[in-house]
PDB file of all heavy atoms in Angstrom:
ATOM      1  N   SER A   1      -7.346  -4.839  -1.442  1.00  0.00           N
ATOM      2  CA  SER A   1      -7.566  -5.550  -2.694  1.00  0.00           C
ATOM      3  C   SER A   1      -7.111  -4.716  -3.886  1.00  0.00           C
ATOM      4  O   SER A   1      -6.550  -5.248  -4.855  1.00  0.00           O
ATOM      5  CB  SER A   1      -9.048  -5.917  -2.847  1.00  0.00           C
ATOM      6  OG  SER A   1      -9.849  -4.740  -2.864  1.00  0.00           O
ATOM      7  N   TYR A   2      -7.312  -3.389  -3.808  1.00  0.00           N
ATOM      8  CA  TYR A   2      -6.885  -2.509  -4.899  1.00  0.00           C
ATOM      9  C   TYR A   2      -5.367  -2.527  -5.041  1.00  0.00           C
ATOM     10  O   TYR A   2      -4.839  -2.614  -6.147  1.00  0.00           O
ATOM     11  CB  TYR A   2      -7.364  -1.085  -4.630  1.00  0.00           C
ATOM     12  CG  TYR A   2      -6.805  -0.061  -5.585  1.00  0.00           C
ATOM     13  CD1 TYR A   2      -7.197  -0.031  -6.918  1.00  0.00           C
ATOM     14  CD2 TYR A   2      -5.873   0.879  -5.147  1.00  0.00           C
ATOM     15  CE1 TYR A   2      -6.682   0.920  -7.796  1.00  0.00           C
ATOM     16  CE2 TYR A   2      -5.354   1.823  -6.006  1.00  0.00           C
ATOM     17  CZ  TYR A   2      -5.761   1.842  -7.335  1.00  0.00           C
ATOM     18  OH  TYR A   2      -5.243   2.770  -8.187  1.00  0.00           O
ATOM     19  N   VAL A   3      -4.659  -2.440  -3.917  1.00  0.00           N
ATOM     20  CA  VAL A   3      -3.198  -2.464  -3.962  1.00  0.00           C
ATOM     21  C   VAL A   3      -2.707  -3.802  -4.507  1.00  0.00           C
ATOM     22  O   VAL A   3      -1.755  -3.852  -5.294  1.00  0.00           O
ATOM     23  CB  VAL A   3      -2.614  -2.192  -2.557  1.00  0.00           C
ATOM     24  CG1 VAL A   3      -1.107  -2.401  -2.556  1.00  0.00           C
ATOM     25  CG2 VAL A   3      -2.940  -0.776  -2.108  1.00  0.00           C
ATOM     26  N   ARG A   4      -3.367  -4.876  -4.114  1.00  0.00           N
ATOM     27  CA  ARG A   4      -2.953  -6.202  -4.577  1.00  0.00           C
ATOM     28  C   ARG A   4      -3.168  -6.354  -6.086  1.00  0.00           C
ATOM     29  O   ARG A   4      -2.344  -6.944  -6.788  1.00  0.00           O
ATOM     30  CB  ARG A   4      -3.736  -7.274  -3.820  1.00  0.00           C
ATOM     31  CG  ARG A   4      -3.235  -8.701  -4.073  1.00  0.00           C
ATOM     32  CD  ARG A   4      -4.022  -9.704  -3.244  1.00  0.00           C
ATOM     33  NE  ARG A   4      -3.740  -9.544  -1.824  1.00  0.00           N
ATOM     34  CZ  ARG A   4      -4.631  -9.142  -0.923  1.00  0.00           C
ATOM     35  NH1 ARG A   4      -5.870  -8.835  -1.295  1.00  0.00           N
ATOM     36  NH2 ARG A   4      -4.309  -9.034   0.345  1.00  0.00           N
ATOM     37  N   GLU A   5      -4.279  -5.804  -6.589  1.00  0.00           N
ATOM     38  CA  GLU A   5      -4.601  -5.963  -8.012  1.00  0.00           C
ATOM     39  C   GLU A   5      -3.830  -4.988  -8.896  1.00  0.00           C
ATOM     40  O   GLU A   5      -3.317  -5.349  -9.947  1.00  0.00           O
ATOM     41  CB  GLU A   5      -6.104  -5.763  -8.220  1.00  0.00           C
ATOM     42  CG  GLU A   5      -6.956  -6.851  -7.575  1.00  0.00           C
ATOM     43  CD  GLU A   5      -8.429  -6.469  -7.534  1.00  0.00           C
ATOM     44  OE1 GLU A   5      -8.780  -5.407  -8.113  1.00  0.00           O
ATOM     45  OE2 GLU A   5      -9.219  -7.199  -6.919  1.00  0.00           O
ATOM     46  N   ALA A   6      -3.787  -3.715  -8.471  1.00  0.00           N
ATOM     47  CA  ALA A   6      -3.199  -2.681  -9.321  1.00  0.00           C
ATOM     48  C   ALA A   6      -1.765  -2.348  -8.953  1.00  0.00           C
ATOM     49  O   ALA A   6      -1.094  -1.636  -9.694  1.00  0.00           O
ATOM     50  CB  ALA A   6      -4.049  -1.408  -9.245  1.00  0.00           C
ATOM     51  N   GLY A   7      -1.295  -2.866  -7.831  1.00  0.00           N
ATOM     52  CA  GLY A   7       0.028  -2.525  -7.341  1.00  0.00           C
ATOM     53  C   GLY A   7       1.161  -2.718  -8.325  1.00  0.00           C
ATOM     54  O   GLY A   7       1.990  -1.820  -8.512  1.00  0.00           O
ATOM     55  N   PRO A   8       1.253  -3.885  -8.982  1.00  0.00           N
ATOM     56  CA  PRO A   8       2.368  -4.102  -9.907  1.00  0.00           C
ATOM     57  C   PRO A   8       2.448  -3.070 -11.023  1.00  0.00           C
ATOM     58  O   PRO A   8       3.538  -2.679 -11.437  1.00  0.00           O
ATOM     59  CB  PRO A   8       2.071  -5.504 -10.466  1.00  0.00           C
ATOM     60  CG  PRO A   8       1.284  -6.175  -9.394  1.00  0.00           C
ATOM     61  CD  PRO A   8       0.423  -5.089  -8.812  1.00  0.00           C
ATOM     62  N   GLN A   9       1.288  -2.612 -11.524  1.00  0.00           N
ATOM     63  CA  GLN A   9       1.293  -1.633 -12.604  1.00  0.00           C
ATOM     64  C   GLN A   9       1.571  -0.217 -12.096  1.00  0.00           C
ATOM     65  O   GLN A   9       2.127   0.610 -12.811  1.00  0.00           O
ATOM     66  CB  GLN A   9      -0.064  -1.632 -13.334  1.00  0.00           C
ATOM     67  CG  GLN A   9      -0.328  -2.869 -14.168  1.00  0.00           C
ATOM     68  CD  GLN A   9      -0.736  -4.052 -13.311  1.00  0.00           C
ATOM     69  OE1 GLN A   9      -1.310  -3.869 -12.241  1.00  0.00           O
ATOM     70  NE2 GLN A   9      -0.434  -5.262 -13.760  1.00  0.00           N
ATOM     71  N   LEU A  10       1.187   0.060 -10.830  1.00  0.00           N
ATOM     72  CA  LEU A  10       1.285   1.421 -10.314  1.00  0.00           C
ATOM     73  C   LEU A  10       2.454   1.612  -9.362  1.00  0.00           C
ATOM     74  O   LEU A  10       2.634   2.695  -8.809  1.00  0.00           O
ATOM     75  CB  LEU A  10      -0.019   1.808  -9.603  1.00  0.00           C
ATOM     76  CG  LEU A  10      -1.280   1.775 -10.475  1.00  0.00           C
ATOM     77  CD1 LEU A  10      -2.500   2.109  -9.644  1.00  0.00           C
ATOM     78  CD2 LEU A  10      -1.138   2.746 -11.639  1.00  0.00           C
ATOM     79  N   GLY A  11       3.232   0.557  -9.152  1.00  0.00           N
ATOM     80  CA  GLY A  11       4.392   0.688  -8.277  1.00  0.00           C
ATOM     81  C   GLY A  11       4.050   0.681  -6.808  1.00  0.00           C
ATOM     82  O   GLY A  11       4.777   1.249  -5.983  1.00  0.00           O
ATOM     83  N   LEU A  12       2.927   0.041  -6.444  1.00  0.00           N
ATOM     84  CA  LEU A  12       2.523  -0.049  -5.047  1.00  0.00           C
ATOM     85  C   LEU A  12       2.850  -1.435  -4.521  1.00  0.00           C
ATOM     86  O   LEU A  12       2.993  -2.386  -5.272  1.00  0.00           O
ATOM     87  CB  LEU A  12       1.011   0.196  -4.905  1.00  0.00           C
ATOM     88  CG  LEU A  12       0.483   1.506  -5.483  1.00  0.00           C
ATOM     89  CD1 LEU A  12      -1.030   1.521  -5.398  1.00  0.00           C
ATOM     90  CD2 LEU A  12       1.073   2.687  -4.748  1.00  0.00           C
ATOM     91  N   SER A  13       2.945  -1.545  -3.217  1.00  0.00           N
ATOM     92  CA  SER A  13       3.193  -2.860  -2.609  1.00  0.00           C
ATOM     93  C   SER A  13       2.148  -3.114  -1.556  1.00  0.00           C
ATOM     94  O   SER A  13       1.762  -2.221  -0.803  1.00  0.00           O
ATOM     95  CB  SER A  13       4.588  -2.912  -1.968  1.00  0.00           C
ATOM     96  OG  SER A  13       4.713  -1.914  -0.981  1.00  0.00           O
ATOM     97  N   ALA A  14       1.664  -4.344  -1.498  1.00  0.00           N
ATOM     98  CA  ALA A  14       0.631  -4.707  -0.536  1.00  0.00           C
ATOM     99  C   ALA A  14       1.245  -5.379   0.671  1.00  0.00           C
ATOM    100  O   ALA A  14       2.238  -6.098   0.568  1.00  0.00           O
ATOM    101  CB  ALA A  14      -0.391  -5.654  -1.195  1.00  0.00           C
ATOM    102  N   VAL A  15       0.638  -5.157   1.821  1.00  0.00           N
ATOM    103  CA  VAL A  15       1.059  -5.852   3.039  1.00  0.00           C
ATOM    104  C   VAL A  15       0.204  -7.095   3.173  1.00  0.00           C
ATOM    105  O   VAL A  15      -1.003  -7.018   3.319  1.00  0.00           O
ATOM    106  CB  VAL A  15       0.862  -4.934   4.274  1.00  0.00           C
ATOM    107  CG1 VAL A  15       1.224  -5.675   5.538  1.00  0.00           C
ATOM    108  CG2 VAL A  15       1.707  -3.679   4.137  1.00  0.00           C
ATOM    109  N   GLU A  16       0.818  -8.252   3.102  1.00  0.00           N
ATOM    110  CA  GLU A  16       0.071  -9.493   3.071  1.00  0.00           C
ATOM    111  C   GLU A  16      -0.187 -10.066   4.455  1.00  0.00           C
ATOM    112  O   GLU A  16      -1.090 -10.855   4.657  1.00  0.00           O
ATOM    113  CB  GLU A  16       0.835 -10.546   2.237  1.00  0.00           C
ATOM    114  CG  GLU A  16       1.016 -10.133   0.778  1.00  0.00           C
ATOM    115  CD  GLU A  16      -0.301 -10.056   0.032  1.00  0.00           C
ATOM    116  OE1 GLU A  16      -1.287 -10.648   0.497  1.00  0.00           O
ATOM    117  OE2 GLU A  16      -0.340  -9.388  -1.014  1.00  0.00           O
ATOM    118  N   GLU A  17       0.636  -9.703   5.446  1.00  0.00           N
ATOM    119  CA  GLU A  17       0.501 -10.320   6.751  1.00  0.00           C
ATOM    120  C   GLU A  17      -0.824  -9.935   7.382  1.00  0.00           C
ATOM    121  O   GLU A  17      -1.173  -8.770   7.461  1.00  0.00           O
ATOM    122  CB  GLU A  17       1.647  -9.887   7.668  1.00  0.00           C
ATOM    123  CG  GLU A  17       3.032 -10.334   7.204  1.00  0.00           C
ATOM    124  CD  GLU A  17       3.630  -9.405   6.165  1.00  0.00           C
ATOM    125  OE1 GLU A  17       2.916  -8.468   5.741  1.00  0.00           O
ATOM    126  OE2 GLU A  17       4.781  -9.626   5.773  1.00  0.00           O
ATOM    127  N   GLU A  18      -1.560 -10.955   7.878  1.00  0.00           N
ATOM    128  CA  GLU A  18      -2.853 -10.691   8.470  1.00  0.00           C
ATOM    129  C   GLU A  18      -2.744  -9.845   9.727  1.00  0.00           C
ATOM    130  O   GLU A  18      -3.615  -9.053  10.033  1.00  0.00           O
ATOM    131  CB  GLU A  18      -3.552 -12.034   8.814  1.00  0.00           C
ATOM    132  CG  GLU A  18      -4.004 -12.798   7.577  1.00  0.00           C
ATOM    133  CD  GLU A  18      -5.064 -12.024   6.799  1.00  0.00           C
ATOM    134  OE1 GLU A  18      -5.906 -11.363   7.422  1.00  0.00           O
ATOM    135  OE2 GLU A  18      -5.030 -12.076   5.557  1.00  0.00           O
ATOM    136  N   ASN A  19      -1.658 -10.029  10.491  1.00  0.00           N
ATOM    137  CA  ASN A  19      -1.497  -9.318  11.748  1.00  0.00           C
ATOM    138  C   ASN A  19      -0.592  -8.098  11.623  1.00  0.00           C
ATOM    139  O   ASN A  19      -0.057  -7.594  12.608  1.00  0.00           O
ATOM    140  CB  ASN A  19      -0.931 -10.260  12.824  1.00  0.00           C
ATOM    141  CG  ASN A  19      -1.899 -11.390  13.132  1.00  0.00           C
ATOM    142  OD1 ASN A  19      -3.103 -11.179  13.192  1.00  0.00           O
ATOM    143  ND2 ASN A  19      -1.368 -12.592  13.315  1.00  0.00           N
ATOM    144  N   ALA A  20      -0.381  -7.635  10.384  1.00  0.00           N
ATOM    145  CA  ALA A  20       0.483  -6.476  10.186  1.00  0.00           C
ATOM    146  C   ALA A  20      -0.161  -5.248  10.821  1.00  0.00           C
ATOM    147  O   ALA A  20      -1.378  -5.091  10.820  1.00  0.00           O
ATOM    148  CB  ALA A  20       0.708  -6.223   8.702  1.00  0.00           C
ATOM    149  N   PRO A  21       0.647  -4.343  11.396  1.00  0.00           N
ATOM    150  CA  PRO A  21       0.086  -3.140  12.018  1.00  0.00           C
ATOM    151  C   PRO A  21      -0.479  -2.208  10.963  1.00  0.00           C
ATOM    152  O   PRO A  21      -0.095  -2.270   9.798  1.00  0.00           O
ATOM    153  CB  PRO A  21       1.299  -2.506  12.713  1.00  0.00           C
ATOM    154  CG  PRO A  21       2.478  -2.988  11.914  1.00  0.00           C
ATOM    155  CD  PRO A  21       2.118  -4.377  11.462  1.00  0.00           C
ATOM    156  N   PRO A  22      -1.420  -1.345  11.357  1.00  0.00           N
ATOM    157  CA  PRO A  22      -1.956  -0.375  10.397  1.00  0.00           C
ATOM    158  C   PRO A  22      -0.880   0.605   9.987  1.00  0.00           C
ATOM    159  O   PRO A  22       0.129   0.758  10.663  1.00  0.00           O
ATOM    160  CB  PRO A  22      -3.064   0.334  11.186  1.00  0.00           C
ATOM    161  CG  PRO A  22      -2.656   0.170  12.615  1.00  0.00           C
ATOM    162  CD  PRO A  22      -1.981  -1.175  12.690  1.00  0.00           C
ATOM    163  N   TYR A  23      -1.099   1.269   8.841  1.00  0.00           N
ATOM    164  CA  TYR A  23      -0.109   2.207   8.352  1.00  0.00           C
ATOM    165  C   TYR A  23       0.051   3.365   9.328  1.00  0.00           C
ATOM    166  O   TYR A  23      -0.804   3.644  10.154  1.00  0.00           O
ATOM    167  CB  TYR A  23      -0.508   2.723   6.967  1.00  0.00           C
ATOM    168  CG  TYR A  23      -1.725   3.599   6.955  1.00  0.00           C
ATOM    169  CD1 TYR A  23      -1.609   4.965   7.201  1.00  0.00           C
ATOM    170  CD2 TYR A  23      -2.978   3.080   6.726  1.00  0.00           C
ATOM    171  CE1 TYR A  23      -2.705   5.783   7.193  1.00  0.00           C
ATOM    172  CE2 TYR A  23      -4.083   3.898   6.734  1.00  0.00           C
ATOM    173  CZ  TYR A  23      -3.946   5.241   6.957  1.00  0.00           C
ATOM    174  OH  TYR A  23      -5.049   6.043   6.955  1.00  0.00           O
ATOM    175  N   GLU A  24       1.164   4.054   9.217  1.00  0.00           N
ATOM    176  CA  GLU A  24       1.451   5.146  10.129  1.00  0.00           C
ATOM    177  C   GLU A  24       0.777   6.450   9.711  1.00  0.00           C
ATOM    178  O   GLU A  24       0.387   7.237  10.544  1.00  0.00           O
ATOM    179  CB  GLU A  24       2.975   5.385  10.203  1.00  0.00           C
ATOM    180  CG  GLU A  24       3.712   4.267  10.904  1.00  0.00           C
ATOM    181  CD  GLU A  24       3.306   4.144  12.371  1.00  0.00           C
ATOM    182  OE1 GLU A  24       2.999   5.170  12.998  1.00  0.00           O
ATOM    183  OE2 GLU A  24       3.278   3.021  12.876  1.00  0.00           O
ATOM    184  N   ARG A  25       0.630   6.664   8.416  1.00  0.00           N
ATOM    185  CA  ARG A  25       0.037   7.919   7.980  1.00  0.00           C
ATOM    186  C   ARG A  25      -0.285   7.841   6.491  1.00  0.00           C
ATOM    187  O   ARG A  25       0.189   6.972   5.789  1.00  0.00           O
ATOM    188  CB  ARG A  25       0.980   9.099   8.213  1.00  0.00           C
ATOM    189  CG  ARG A  25       2.239   9.060   7.368  1.00  0.00           C
ATOM    190  CD  ARG A  25       3.218  10.153   7.773  1.00  0.00           C
ATOM    191  NE  ARG A  25       4.397  10.173   6.925  1.00  0.00           N
ATOM    192  CZ  ARG A  25       5.424   9.360   7.036  1.00  0.00           C
ATOM    193  NH1 ARG A  25       5.428   8.429   7.968  1.00  0.00           N
ATOM    194  NH2 ARG A  25       6.459   9.452   6.234  1.00  0.00           N
ATOM    195  N   VAL A  26      -1.096   8.778   6.036  1.00  0.00           N
ATOM    196  CA  VAL A  26      -1.264   9.015   4.612  1.00  0.00           C
ATOM    197  C   VAL A  26      -0.359  10.182   4.269  1.00  0.00           C
ATOM    198  O   VAL A  26      -0.482  11.259   4.832  1.00  0.00           O
ATOM    199  CB  VAL A  26      -2.724   9.350   4.258  1.00  0.00           C
ATOM    200  CG1 VAL A  26      -2.835   9.702   2.789  1.00  0.00           C
ATOM    201  CG2 VAL A  26      -3.621   8.169   4.568  1.00  0.00           C
ATOM    202  N   SER A  27       0.578   9.960   3.354  1.00  0.00           N
ATOM    203  CA  SER A  27       1.586  10.975   3.056  1.00  0.00           C
ATOM    204  C   SER A  27       1.354  11.541   1.664  1.00  0.00           C
ATOM    205  O   SER A  27       1.201  10.798   0.699  1.00  0.00           O
ATOM    206  CB  SER A  27       2.987  10.354   3.118  1.00  0.00           C
ATOM    207  OG  SER A  27       3.958  11.261   2.681  1.00  0.00           O
ATOM    208  N   CYS A  28       1.339  12.874   1.564  1.00  0.00           N
ATOM    209  CA  CYS A  28       1.173  13.554   0.281  1.00  0.00           C
ATOM    210  C   CYS A  28       2.544  14.020  -0.179  1.00  0.00           C
ATOM    211  O   CYS A  28       3.035  15.059   0.236  1.00  0.00           O
ATOM    212  CB  CYS A  28       0.223  14.731   0.425  1.00  0.00           C
ATOM    213  SG  CYS A  28      -0.164  15.545  -1.109  1.00  0.00           S
ATOM    214  N   GLY A  29       3.188  13.241  -1.042  1.00  0.00           N
ATOM    215  CA  GLY A  29       4.533  13.561  -1.495  1.00  0.00           C
ATOM    216  C   GLY A  29       4.633  13.571  -3.001  1.00  0.00           C
ATOM    217  O   GLY A  29       3.633  13.507  -3.700  1.00  0.00           O
ATOM    218  N   ARG A  30       5.849  13.626  -3.509  1.00  0.00           N
ATOM    219  CA  ARG A  30       6.046  13.748  -4.957  1.00  0.00           C
ATOM    220  C   ARG A  30       5.591  12.504  -5.703  1.00  0.00           C
ATOM    221  O   ARG A  30       5.319  12.538  -6.885  1.00  0.00           O
ATOM    222  CB  ARG A  30       7.511  14.044  -5.278  1.00  0.00           C
ATOM    223  CG  ARG A  30       8.446  12.886  -5.062  1.00  0.00           C
ATOM    224  CD  ARG A  30       9.886  13.270  -5.386  1.00  0.00           C
ATOM    225  NE  ARG A  30      10.025  13.638  -6.786  1.00  0.00           N
ATOM    226  CZ  ARG A  30      10.262  12.761  -7.755  1.00  0.00           C
ATOM    227  NH1 ARG A  30      10.379  11.464  -7.493  1.00  0.00           N
ATOM    228  NH2 ARG A  30      10.425  13.160  -9.000  1.00  0.00           N
ATOM    229  N   HIS A  31       5.480  11.391  -5.012  1.00  0.00           N
ATOM    230  CA  HIS A  31       5.028  10.175  -5.662  1.00  0.00           C
ATOM    231  C   HIS A  31       3.559   9.888  -5.395  1.00  0.00           C
ATOM    232  O   HIS A  31       3.100   8.781  -5.594  1.00  0.00           O
ATOM    233  CB  HIS A  31       5.877   8.984  -5.211  1.00  0.00           C
ATOM    234  CG  HIS A  31       7.302   9.071  -5.674  1.00  0.00           C
ATOM    235  ND1 HIS A  31       7.636   9.113  -7.003  1.00  0.00           N
ATOM    236  CD2 HIS A  31       8.454   9.177  -4.979  1.00  0.00           C
ATOM    237  CE1 HIS A  31       8.962   9.208  -7.121  1.00  0.00           C
ATOM    238  NE2 HIS A  31       9.481   9.256  -5.903  1.00  0.00           N
ATOM    239  N   GLY A  32       2.843  10.886  -4.914  1.00  0.00           N
ATOM    240  CA  GLY A  32       1.409  10.722  -4.783  1.00  0.00           C
ATOM    241  C   GLY A  32       0.966  10.557  -3.349  1.00  0.00           C
ATOM    242  O   GLY A  32       1.708  10.809  -2.406  1.00  0.00           O
TER     243      GLY A  32
END
């Protein structure tokens, strides 16, 4: 819900598909 609400302002994208696989990792990079 946070990504969906704040994503456009913060440059994030939400995965909308209900059956989408979980993310692969949390990555600490230059973009956060």
Side-chain angles (χ1 to χ4, degrees):
S1 61
Y2 171 70
V3 172
R4 189 178 292 114
E5 293 167 6
Q9 290 77 28
L10 300 177
L12 305 174
S13 59
V15 177
E16 298 294 341
E17 296 83 355
E18 289 296 323
N19 296 320
Y23 68 86
E24 290 296 327
R25 66 188 183 280
V26 175
S27 173
C28 185
R30 72 181 298 273
H31 293 299

